[in-house]
Amino acid sequence: MKAVKSAVISAKEQLEIRSFPLPGLGRGEMLIKVEMCGICGSDLHIFRGDWGEPYPLIPGHEFIGRVAQMGEGAAERHQVRIGDRVAVEMILPCWECEYCKAGRYNLCLQDRSEGRQYGCNISMTRAPSLYGGWSEYLFVPPNAIVHRIPEHVPLRRAVLVEPLAVAVRAVHLTPPRLGDCVAVIGAGPIGLLTAVAAKAAGAGCVILVGTREERLALGKELAADFAVDFRQENAREKVRAYSGGRGADIVFETAGTVSGQIDSLHYARTAGVVNYVGLTGNKTVPIHTDAEMTFKEVKLQTSFLSAGAYQAAIRIISGGRYPIEKLITHEFSLDQAYRGLQCAANRDEKAIKVILVPDLSE
C-alpha cells in the first residue's frame, strides 16, 4: 500500500513529517493529489495554538490539485473526472443544520462541535486522516464542494482561489456601488486580493493602507489606485484626501490587528461601512462606539471564510485581468514545511505569499 507523506502539527509549536496509508474509497469519495498549497496567516495561529486546535492535525486549506482516485458514484456526485484540476472548498458542510440549508455553511453548527474546516480544526485521528493540504494527497468526502479549474489557468494563479474566495465573500457581503471609494487595510495576501475583488466588483477608487514598499507597489500593480504606508504617512488624512474629503464608503480590515480594526472605523465616512475580514487570534479590540460608530451611523460587518464565493473567484482568475500569481514569492517542499512557515511568519526575503509544493525537489 502506498504511503502518503504529510506535514503534521502534533502539538503546540511542533511540526513533523509523518506517513499515512493511502485509504480505500467509499461511495462518493475521492482522493486529490495535491499540487500546491498556500501558507496562510491562519496556519501560524493554528501552529501557535491560538484557537484551541484539536492536535494532531494536518494543516493547509489553500490547496489545489488533480483528481487521482474516485469511489463509486464520485464522478456524478462531484461532476469531475480523473485528472481534472480542482479546488475543494475548505468547509465541509453538514447540509443538515439551518445555516447549511440557507447556504451559509461557513457558520455550520456541526463545525463548532466537531470540526469541518480542512487544515484548521479536523484532527488527523478522524479517519482517514488526510484532511489538510500540507500533504501529498487529500481526502474528499461526499459532502465536500468541488470546483473544476479550467486548464488554461496557470497553477500559480489557481492555488490562490481559496484566499481570493475569502476576499470575494467579504465584497459580496458589503458590495461597492459603481464608483464607490474603498479602503483596504492590510497589504498582506488577503488585503491585496480584497483590492482585486473590490475593483472587479466596480469600486471606482481603491486605497490600500499597509506597510512594506514591495507589497504596496504590488497592490498598485494589481488593483489599488493609491497606496498609503501608515508608518510613514498620516493614513487618516490620506484616505480622506483620496476619497474627496469624506472618508471611504467601505473599509475592509484584512490585517487582523487590534490597531487595524480600531483605525478602520476612522477611515470610514459618515454612514459608511466597515467589514472586519482579518482574525486577531482572540485579541480584544477596544472600540469607543459612541464617537467611532453611533454618532456616524457606521455599519460594522464581519466576514468569515469563503462560502458561496469560489465560483466568482474562479471567474476572476480565469479571466486573467489580474496577475495575482505575482503574490507568490517563495516555494518550499513538503519536507521544508517548517522553513516555509517561518518564512511566511517572519516575512523573510520580503516574502508575500509562501506555498508548499509536495513534488518540489529539495
Side-chain angles (χ1 to χ4, degrees), residues 183-202:
V184 178
I185 314 307
I190 295 296
L192 294 167
L193 293 171
T194 299
V196 168
K199 182 64 78 170

Side-chain angles (χ1 to χ4, degrees), residues 64-296:
I64 202 79
R66 292 192 180 273
V67 178
Q69 295 183 24
M70 290 192 287
E72 182 182 356
E76 294 77 16
R77 172 68 182 85
H78 299 294
Q79 293 297 296
V80 294
R81 299 174 298 179
I82 294 289
D84 282 350
R85 176 171 287 157
V86 296
V88 183
E89 295 202 22
M90 60 93 64
I91 309 160
L92 295 171
C94 72
W95 298 123
E96 296 174 355
C97 74
E98 59 180 298
Y99 297 106
C100 284
K101 290 178 178 178
R104 303 183 71 178
Y105 47 91
N106 56 314
L107 305 178
C108 176
L109 293 177
Q110 290 192 29
D111 178 45
R112 303 176 191 180
S113 62
E114 65 181 32
R116 286 179 169 268
Q117 298 175 42
Y118 273 119
C120 297
N121 61 8
I122 304 177
S123 171
M124 74 173 205
T125 59
R126 184 184 305 175
S129 300
L130 304 176
Y131 287 100
W134 292 15
S135 178
E136 292 178 315
Y137 286 86
L138 182 91
F139 175 70
V140 181
N143 59 312
I145 305 173
V146 180
H147 302 274
R148 189 169 56 83
I149 303 295
E151 285 295 328
H152 76 272
V153 177
L155 180 59
R156 286 166 63 89
R157 190 181 303 161
V159 74
L160 296 171
V161 65
E162 193 281 335
L164 179 57
V166 169
V168 168
R169 177 171 178 80
V171 171
H172 279 174
L173 288 171
T174 52
R177 296 170 299 179
L178 287 175
D180 270 357
C181 180
V182 169
V184 178
I185 314 307
I190 295 296
L192 294 167
L193 293 171
T194 299
V196 168
K199 182 64 78 170
C205 169
V206 174
I207 306 166
L208 180 64
V209 179
T211 61
R212 300 180 183 269
E213 180 180 353
E214 66 278 2
R215 294 184 177 216
L216 295 172
L218 179 58
K220 291 187 70 174
E221 184 178 354
L222 291 176
D225 299 282
F226 303 100
V228 179
D229 186 335
F230 71 83
R231 292 181 180 173
Q232 306 295 328
E233 306 171 273
N234 186 317
R236 192 186 307 190
E237 290 182 0
K238 287 291 185 179
V239 170
R240 186 169 293 276
Y242 292 145
S243 60
R246 296 193 314 161
D249 297 291
I250 304 172
V251 181
F252 294 96
E253 198 289 325
T254 72
T257 64
V258 172
S259 61
Q261 294 195 352
I262 293 172
D263 291 343
S264 295
L265 297 166
H266 300 315
Y267 301 144
R269 68 170 175 84
T270 297
V273 179
V274 174
N275 191 328
Y276 284 173
V277 186
L279 298 172
T280 66
N282 272 343
K283 294 183 176 67
T284 298
V285 180
I287 296 174
H288 300 290
T289 55
D290 288 356
E292 296 166 7
M293 295 181 67
T294 307
F295 293 164
K296 294 169 61 179

Side-chain angles (χ1 to χ4, degrees), residues 5 7 17 332-339 356-358 360 362:
K5 182 191 297 184
I17 303 298
F332 292 89
S333 69
L334 199 55
D335 290 325
Q336 299 169 317
Y338 181 79
R339 286 176 55 192
L356 296 181
V357 185
L360 184 68
E362 286 284 356

Side-chain angles (χ1 to χ4, degrees), residues 5-26:
K5 182 191 297 184
S6 305
V8 175
I9 300 178
S10 55
K12 182 178 179 179
E13 298 186 345
Q14 294 184 26
L15 182 67
E16 57 192 66
I17 303 298
R18 295 189 184 179
S19 293
F20 300 86
L22 198 64
L25 298 176

Side-chain angles (χ1 to χ4, degrees), residues 42-71:
S42 296
D43 296 321
L44 184 60
H45 285 300
I46 292 165
F47 180 70
R48 291 172 174 169
D50 290 339
W51 299 314
E53 287 70 17
Y55 302 130
L57 61 81
I58 300 172
H61 58 275
E62 299 181 356
F63 46 79
I64 202 79
R66 292 192 180 273
V67 178
Q69 295 183 24
M70 290 192 287

